[in-house]
Amino acid sequence: MGDAWASRILLEEMGLRVIAQWSGDGSIAELENTPKAKLNVLHCYRSMNYISRHMEEKYGIPWVEYNFFGPSKIEASLREIASHFDDKIKEGGGTSDCEVQAVDAGGD
């Protein structure tokens, strides 16, 4: 398991539905869902930014880079991600029907 699984747990706890995860153990079915995402979140900017830029141009899906290393970085990243969604997510108050794509190039 890579960093994407820990990230996915945090994103789901804040009320987001992760529809795809681009990690070594991702599935074709998840990859097919990627054009439906409301936001791409990147853990490894160097390897995934070109795909996210393409998806932003083609599908209008914004993207953000996140950093979950350390409490202050986690808090700042979660706030940045939440800023792209409704008030329910921004306030940390439960599930929203928003979709997010966790994009991660990390390994084990």
Side-chain angles (χ1 to χ4, degrees), residues 18 26 28 35-36 38 40 50 53 55 61-63 70 73 90 104:
V18 178
I28 294 296
K36 299 175 186 173
K38 303 284 190 259
N40 282 321
Y50 65 96
R53 284 187 193 142
M55 291 181 72
I61 302 169
W63 60 277
K73 296 293 186 182
K90 289 176 189 169
D104 183 28

Side-chain angles (χ1 to χ4, degrees), residues 3-48:
D3 297 329
W5 287 103
S7 303
R8 184 180 194 128
I9 291 167
L10 289 172
L11 295 169
E12 289 174 344
E13 284 179 355
M14 67 187 282
L16 297 174
R17 184 166 60 103
V18 178
I19 62 168
Q21 187 166 292
W22 289 26
S23 59
D25 55 355
S27 70
I28 294 296
E30 280 192 339
L31 294 177
E32 289 172 344
N33 283 331
T34 58
K36 299 175 186 173
K38 303 284 190 259
L39 178 69
N40 282 321
V41 294
L42 289 91
H43 183 262
C44 185
Y45 176 82
R46 290 185 317 262
S47 64
M48 298 306 293

